[in-house]
Amino acid sequence: MEFNSIYQGLISGTEKLAIVGLGYVGMPIAVEFAKHIKVIGFDINEKRVNEYTNGIDATNEVGEAIKDTTVEFTSDPTRLKEAKFIVVAVPTPVNEDNTPDLCPIKGAACTVGQNIAAGSIVVFESTVYPGVTEDICVPIIEKESGLRCGVEWKIGYSPERINPGDRIHTLTTIRKVVSGMDEESAREIKKVYDIVIKAGTFPVSNIKTAEAVKVVENSQRDINIAFMNEIAIICDKLKIDTDEVLAGMNTKWNALGFKPGLVGGHCIGVDPYYLTNISEKLGYHSKIILNGRQINDSIGAFVADAAIKEMIEAGMAPKKATVVIFGLTFKENCPDTRNSKVVDIIDRLKEYEINPIVTDSWADAEVAKYEYGIELITWGNVPKADCVIIAVGHNEYRSMSMMQIKELFKEELKDEEKVLIDVKSLYRMDELKASAMRFWRL
C-alpha cells in the first residue's frame, strides 16, 4: 500500500487532513492547515464545536480568523474516515498523584481506530513519555480498526510547541520536530507539515526520540525556573530584592534570563512528571527533575505565607482582612486556566480561614467554577481591599499606575497599612518605595 501520495492528494484537494482535539493546540493547527488544504476539525466537546462553527474562539488563539476559516468543524467521529492524514492533539494531564493520565490519548486512539481508513498516516502531537505512541496508541488503533500498523496504515509523532497567548512564537514560526515509524512515513509527514511551518521542520530518526524532545525541553525550562524560585526564597530570607539581583546577573553575556514565578499550565508544570515516570519504570530515580518540581509546586504557598506575614506586620488580623487576588490564568494575556498555580495561593490562604476574592477578565467564569470551585468577580464588583495580590501579569494589571493601585484599597487605610503582593514583579522598585505602601514581590 502506498503512503507517499498523501501529500500530493492534500495539495491537489483530493484528500483531507483531520485534527482530533480542538483545544489550544489542535484548533490553531486546523485553522492554519485550512489556509492551504481541506481540513476536518473533530472534538468530542459539542459546545466547543458549535462555538467554532459560529465564529467564536474561546481560546483566543486565532481570534477573528475563526470566522473566515474553511475548517469543517464536527463532533461526529465518522467524519475521520474522510481523511488520509490524521493529527491527534488531545491533552495529556497528570493524575492527583502526578502520574501520567493517558485516558484522553487512549480515548482518542480508540476513536481514530474505529474510523481510520486504510492507507492513512496518523500523527500524534500530544505530549507523552517515550514509548507511548508505539507501545500504547498503536495497539489500540490496531485493535479497533483491524488494520495492521506499517502495512495498512502508518504512525508518526510531532510534538506540539504552541505557546498559548504568544503572538510572536506562533505555530508557523516555531521549528517543528517530526518523526515517522519508517523513512517513507517520515518523509511524507515532513512534507505535510512543511505546508504550514514557515520556520521549517526538524526530522529526527525515530518516534521515541521525538517524544523525548518535548518532555526534555519543558523539563529543562522547569528546572531553570525552579532554580530562580529557590533564589527568590533565599533572597527573601536575606531581605534583598530578587529582581535587582537577577537584573545584575543578566548583565553577563551567558545569563539565561529566567525569572521566578508560578509554574502551571498544560506543559511545564506537567511534562516533567511524564519524564520521571518512565525513568522510574526503567529503574532510575530522578535526582534533579523531581526536586525542581517540588520547589515550583511550593511557590503558591510561599506567596500566600508572605502575604500573611505582611498583613500581620501591617497591624491587621488576616482572618478579618479583605484579600483580593488579581489573575487566575496560568499565564498572562491568555484565558487558559489549566493547572493554574494561583489556586495554590488561594488554597493556602483558606488554611488561614481567609477566603480571597478573585477577579480575572481573561478567565472563563464557568470553567473557574467547574474546575476549582472559584467564583470570579467582575472588576467593577471587586470590593476595596486590605491586601491586593497581583498574581498574573495581564497587560491591564501591568499598566496600572501606583495611584490606580492605591485606589484598590480601603479608603480608611494609611499607605503603610496597604499590603501589595507583586508576584510577577510588574512594578518598578522606585515607584513602589515612593508609594509608601507595604509591598512584597517574588
Side-chain angles (χ1 to χ4, degrees), residues 7 22 25 40 67 94 142 211 325 354 403 426:
Y7 165 78
L22 297 173
V25 173
I40 297 169
K67 296 179 180 179
V94 291
E142 285 186 323
E211 291 169 322
I325 296 177
I354 298 170
M403 187 61 68
L426 301 182

Side-chain angles (χ1 to χ4, degrees), residues 331-345:
K331 66 180 295 185
E332 66 276 4
N333 307 321
C334 172
D336 197 346
T337 55
R338 287 176 296 174
N339 192 30
S340 168
K341 292 302 176 180
V342 179
V343 176
D344 291 350
I345 299 176

Side-chain angles (χ1 to χ4, degrees), residues 189-208:
I189 290 167
K190 173 177 166 51
K191 287 194 292 184
V192 172
Y193 276 108
D194 279 337
I195 295 172
V196 295
I197 307 298
K198 296 176 183 176
T201 49
F202 184 87
V204 295
S205 60
N206 56 70
I207 288 174
K208 282 186 178 180

Side-chain angles (χ1 to χ4, degrees), residues 228-341:
M228 291 296 103
N229 278 330
E230 192 164 58
I231 293 302
I233 294 170
I234 294 170
C235 286
D236 185 64
K237 293 184 179 297
L238 290 170
K239 300 188 185 305
I240 58 177
D241 184 61
T242 308
D243 196 58
E244 186 177 6
V245 171
L246 298 185
M249 181 191 73
N250 287 331
T251 60
K252 193 177 181 186
W253 77 90
N254 58 357
L256 300 180
F258 286 94
K259 290 189 174 183
L262 302 172
V263 186
H266 64 109
C267 285
I268 301 176
V270 171
D271 296 354
Y273 289 122
Y274 275 73
L275 186 56
T276 58
N277 182 267
I278 188 61
S279 70
E280 287 178 0
K281 287 181 179 178
L282 296 172
Y284 179 77
H285 183 74
S286 165
K287 297 177 177 62
I288 296 176
I289 301 171
L290 286 178
N291 283 332
R293 280 279 75 236
Q294 185 177 9
I295 291 169
N296 285 342
D297 281 344
S298 72
I299 295 301
F302 177 67
V303 170
D305 288 346
I308 295 292
K309 180 182 177 182
E310 294 297 329
M311 282 188 278
I312 291 172
E313 292 186 358
M316 67 180 76
K319 287 184 182 180
K320 297 180 180 179
T322 301
V323 179
V324 179
I325 296 177
F326 287 81
L328 179 65
T329 61
F330 90 88
K331 66 180 295 185
E332 66 276 4
N333 307 321
C334 172
D336 197 346
T337 55
R338 287 176 296 174
N339 192 30
S340 168
K341 292 302 176 180

